[in-house]
Amino acid sequence: MILQDFKIGWQNKFEQRLNALERLFPDITLQSVERYKGMLRVKFTSLDNDIQDVLDSVTYKIERESAQTCEGCGKQGRRTEEHLP
Ligand SMILES: [Zn+2]
């Protein structure tokens, strides 16, 4: 699992999409996964420039979406730094 260090809201929303990228492009490398200013930032790298463009645009979209998705429960909302139960 790529998002093992994150909460269930982000896992449910983004894990499958990240797995799909790895299935689609078996030669890519997961370089980093981090929480940055309340957003999920994922960086994949590829030796192929066209694939790199695809990876960057998909992960950019996930980053923007994560800014509006509660990491704790997956609900849409404003950017949240932490989940308040
Ligand atoms: Zn929540």
Side-chain angles (χ1 to χ4, degrees):
M1 178 178 273
I2 293 172
L3 300 178
Q4 59 197 10
D5 294 335
F6 297 87
K7 294 189 182 124
I8 193 73
W10 280 3
Q11 286 178 355
N12 284 345
K13 186 140 189 187
F14 303 117
E15 178 71 28
Q16 284 194 346
R17 283 156 71 182
L18 297 171
N19 289 342
L21 276 179
E22 289 188 317
R23 272 201 308 277
L24 206 53
F25 307 112
D27 293 334
I28 62 178
T29 303
L30 180 63
Q31 187 174 311
S32 63
V33 186
E34 58 188 355
R35 189 186 287 103
Y36 176 76
K37 295 189 174 181
M39 294 184 285
L40 174 63
R41 195 151 73 170
V42 181
K43 179 72 179 171
F44 283 111
T45 54
S46 171
L47 297 176
D48 182 304
N49 286 337
D50 292 333
I51 293 177
Q52 187 68 57
D53 286 346
V54 173
L55 296 173
D56 289 344
S57 65
V58 171
T59 53
Y60 177 79
K61 193 159 176 288
I62 288 175
E63 180 177 318
R64 304 313 306 172
E65 263 182 66
S66 73
Q68 302 188 347
T69 304
C70 176
E71 181 180 346
C73 68
K75 280 188 185 154
Q76 287 255 135
R78 301 252 175 165
R79 177 187 302 182
T80 49
E81 295 278 344
E82 55 188 309
H83 184 244
L84 301 174

